[in-house]
Amino acid sequence: MSAAAADVATKVEKPPAIPRGWSRQRVLGYALVGLWIVLGIGMIVYLVEAWNSELFQKYAPGYISGLGVTLTLVAVSIGLGAVLSVPVAYARMSRNRTLSSFAYAYVYFFRGTPLLTQVFLIYYGVGSFRPALEAVGLWGFFREAWYCAIFSFTLNTAAYQAEILRGAIESVPRGQWEGAASLGLHKLQTMWKIILPQALIVALRPYGNEIILMIKGSAIVALITVYDLMGITKLTYSRTFDFQSYVWAAIIYLIIVETLRHAVEWIERRITIHLQR
């Protein structure tokens, strides 16, 4: 071997040595997993030891009715928000600066402020203008906490869904529009048959996350006297002072979230089967 070749060989960096043994990160990871396992076992033991069949028979129907209220509230809000999000998304993508500015302000406000603040503004704020609302016949709507909750949740989720929809549509390559135009398709036909099917694949997971966030965020309506799942839980605890009433509520929320997550994953696998190899 020549001197130049030997010099080059000495300068070549060797691959890093394979880490062996228990690193600090590995030990910390196993410790955290072990801690969660211990906490889970402790929670199960607590629920078994604190089980009270009489309380279950007495308050279980209330939990079921509260769960129905929560699911109804979220379903109605998500549905109405989906309808409202379409014109908002269109306005956000519009070249009309006035229209796009109003849509931007709407989305900016409802995405930039807490949902609890929005609920209070509608229930307590708008409701304080009783004479004006009675004059236009809207007092019957805003005096009910249920309608105020649906109204505020709809406005909030519409802002998020509009951004999800806008981002999904804009993620579709511009060439799809140009190809459809070359075939003589109208813009509405192009949107309905070509753009939206591709955009909804992109938007599916964000939509699923939005529904999950609405499920968890719906607990705040208990603060305005709507007896949803959390409202029933608060009522149960105020009568029994039994901590497991909140534990069971947390378990129910967790089951709902996991069910939705698996449903979204199943739908995603079904609609993207043509992309799998």
Side-chain angles (χ1 to χ4, degrees):
M1 178 182 295
S2 63
D7 185 57
V8 171
T10 57
K11 292 182 179 180
V12 174
E13 295 183 359
K14 296 181 180 180
I18 300 176
R20 300 183 182 276
W22 289 73
S23 62
R24 181 180 303 177
Q25 291 80 2
R26 188 177 183 185
V27 172
L28 180 60
Y30 274 95
L32 291 176
V33 172
L35 177 62
W36 280 110
I37 293 175
V38 171
L39 290 176
I41 295 175
M43 184 63 67
I44 294 174
V45 172
Y46 166 76
L47 291 176
V48 171
E49 293 183 350
W51 175 258
N52 190 326
S53 59
E54 294 182 358
L55 290 178
F56 177 80
Q57 295 175 0
K58 184 176 181 181
Y59 293 105
Y63 275 79
I64 295 174
S65 65
L67 176 60
V69 172
T70 294
L71 295 179
T72 303
L73 172 65
V74 174
V76 173
S77 301
I78 289 291
L80 295 176
V83 174
L84 180 59
S85 68
V86 175
V88 175
Y90 173 79
R92 287 280 286 121
M93 295 184 292
S94 175
R95 294 182 179 180
N96 187 320
R97 299 194 64 178
T98 302
L99 192 62
S100 62
S101 297
F102 276 112
Y104 175 81
Y106 167 79
V107 170
Y108 181 83
F109 175 80
F110 281 98
R111 293 183 68 205
T113 56
L115 180 57
L116 179 60
T117 303
Q118 298 163 20
V119 172
F120 280 178
L121 283 174
I122 292 174
Y123 183 64
Y124 294 113
V126 178
S128 63
F129 297 96
R130 179 173 179 175
L133 294 174
E134 288 179 339
V136 295
L138 292 177
W139 173 243
F141 180 89
F142 286 101
R143 74 179 179 183
E144 297 291 338
W146 169 253
Y147 294 130
C148 289
I150 289 180
F151 185 57
S152 56
F153 274 48
T154 298
L155 294 178
N156 179 272
T157 189
Y160 282 93
Q161 291 188 54
E163 285 299 283
I164 292 172
L165 183 59
R166 181 183 69 86
I169 291 175
E170 292 183 346
S171 69
V172 179
R174 186 66 185 173
Q176 300 287 333
W177 289 95
E178 296 171 352
S182 67
L183 295 175
L185 294 179
H186 191 270
K187 286 188 177 181
L188 290 179
Q189 290 178 311
T190 303
M191 176 63 73
W192 180 254
K193 295 184 178 181
I194 298 177
I195 304 302
L196 278 183
Q198 299 178 70
L200 290 179
I201 294 176
V202 177
L204 179 60
R205 282 202 176 260
Y207 269 122
N209 292 337
E210 173 61 15
I211 296 174
I212 289 173
L213 290 175
M214 290 295 291
I215 286 285
K216 294 187 290 185
S218 65
I220 66 174
V221 299
L223 300 176
I224 58 171
T225 69
V226 175
Y227 285 101
D228 67 328
L229 179 57
M230 184 54 64
I232 294 296
T233 302
K234 290 178 60 179
L235 181 63
T236 302
Y237 182 77
S238 66
R239 293 177 177 176
T240 63
F241 295 100
D242 192 341
F243 176 72
Q244 67 174 318
S245 57
Y246 283 105
V247 176
W248 286 114
I251 292 174
I252 294 173
Y253 278 114
L254 183 61
I255 292 174
I256 298 172
V257 169
E258 283 300 302
T259 302
L260 286 171
R261 185 176 66 83
H262 285 289
V264 170
E265 290 180 352
W266 180 82
I267 295 172
E268 185 179 36
R269 288 195 300 269
R270 294 291 297 177
I271 65 178
T272 59
I273 192 171
H274 61 286
L275 300 176
Q276 300 175 8
R277 295 183 179 179

